[in-house]
Amino acid sequence: MALPEYRAAIAEPTLPKKLAEPKKGQPEPIGYKVVRDKYVKLEKFAITITLFSALVVLLLSLATQVTLSNQNRALQDLQNDSVAISLENQNLEQEVQELSRYDRIIEIAKELGLEMNEANVRNVTR
């Protein structure tokens, strides 16, 4: 059988002196709590600024993508208009070539009763 003193020591463990709470008469270490609170506030501020900056960058990136998309669409519209106009110009140039054929002009002149005077004809070269 164990001694009663030994049983009491096993049943009621005591905290080591270093981990025991300070007594009411002992002051807390000076400046420790203030410095810790200062760092906590600084960390919260840094995290807030970082999150705010990330949000701003995200929104600016989104706005830039929308602007870029709109500009690309406008560029495609202008390119399509340019292709349509150049196709129309080619068609009109072909029509001009067909209408300005020499035999067609002579035929229209004969229908209108015009005669060709070879002495008054000049050949102009470009």
Side-chain angles (χ1 to χ4, degrees), residues 59-116:
L59 291 176
L60 288 176
S61 174
L62 185 63
T64 303
Q65 277 186 329
V66 168
T67 303
L68 183 63
S69 176
N70 289 339
Q71 293 297 325
N72 281 336
R73 180 64 186 166
L75 178 63
Q76 287 177 350
D77 290 344
L78 288 175
Q79 287 175 341
N80 289 340
D81 291 346
S82 174
V83 168
I85 289 173
S86 68
L87 182 62
E88 185 179 352
N89 283 344
Q90 287 176 354
N91 290 339
L92 290 174
E93 285 176 7
Q94 184 178 0
E95 188 177 342
V96 166
Q97 293 295 325
E98 290 174 3
L99 294 175
S100 64
R101 285 189 338 251
Y102 182 75
D103 57 339
R104 182 179 176 278
I105 293 174
I106 295 295
E107 183 181 315
I108 293 173
K110 284 183 183 179
E111 287 177 6
L112 294 174
L114 300 174
E115 295 179 6
M116 186 150 177

